[in-house]
Amino acid sequence: MIELEGASVVVDSPDGPVTLLGPTTLTLDERRVGIIGANGSGKSTLARLLNGLALPATGAVRVDGLDVATQGREVRRRVGFVFTHPDAQLVMPTPLEDVSLSLRRSVPDKAERRRRAREVLDSIGLADRADVPVHSLSGGQKQLLALAGVLATGPDVVVADEPTTLLDLRNTRTVADHLFGLQQQLVLVTHDLALARRCDRVLVVDDGRVVHDGAAEAAVEHYVGLVDV
């Protein structure tokens, strides 16, 4: 379970402190949670709080009782993060090597690590791409590989920050189907309202605040109302 208690994010600027996210209190225990809002609204900042990529300036964020500010390593073992740009996560020459890298701490034996990596790639539909150069993959395949690297670590929660933004319709459907098919809790930041509608609960973020929190359809309607103003 994810809990935010008065958690805010403030950064320094030449003109003084800037609040990216105002004090936010939430308990997130639904299987599929969506976060929507305009560019710069604070939705990605909220997502980054959930595994300690951003730390609260006030309040606290806890995952299964673990505090992100003081127990960040343990939190990140439970909460995996998929970025918008997969190249930010892919560092090895081939998919097999990249997923193996994710397993280096949990699986000491190299042969077993590679076997496990192949299993993960197979589960995500990339078994036949295991040994090709990463740079030869399509955008959708790269995003699936980034997801595979996260899943290899066995998280309880997957936070995905606009994972389909750069993809065409076919790859968007493929990546989305894998995300919504996960056994793990999914927190999905998205501009794609069709994907938001597939969530059990949706948060609408505007100007650094959660301005609506509820069922998907009602949340999407609220957001569309903000855009139309």
Side-chain angles (χ1 to χ4, degrees), residues 95-96 98-124 148-149 151-155:
L96 181 63
D98 207 86
V99 177
S100 295
L101 182 65
S102 298
L103 292 164
R104 68 192 184 283
R105 289 196 179 104
S106 59
V107 185
D109 181 73
K110 183 178 180 180
E112 175 63 12
R113 195 158 60 236
R114 289 174 70 86
R115 186 191 69 78
R116 291 269 299 275
R118 287 189 185 278
E119 286 183 350
V120 174
L121 289 170
D122 182 55
S123 72
I124 210 79
L151 295 178
T153 65

Side-chain angles (χ1 to χ4, degrees), residues 26-72:
L26 296 166
T27 298
L28 305 177
D29 54 9
E30 290 81 5
R31 189 175 175 206
R32 304 289 179 248
V33 178
I35 304 176
I36 58 178
N39 289 336
S41 62
K43 61 186 185 300
S44 290
T45 300
L46 173 57
R48 287 168 179 259
L49 271 176
L50 305 184
N51 82 331
L53 287 174
L55 295 177
T58 63
V61 180
R62 291 181 291 272
V63 178
D64 295 336
L66 300 172
D67 187 278
V68 298
T70 60
Q71 298 169 287

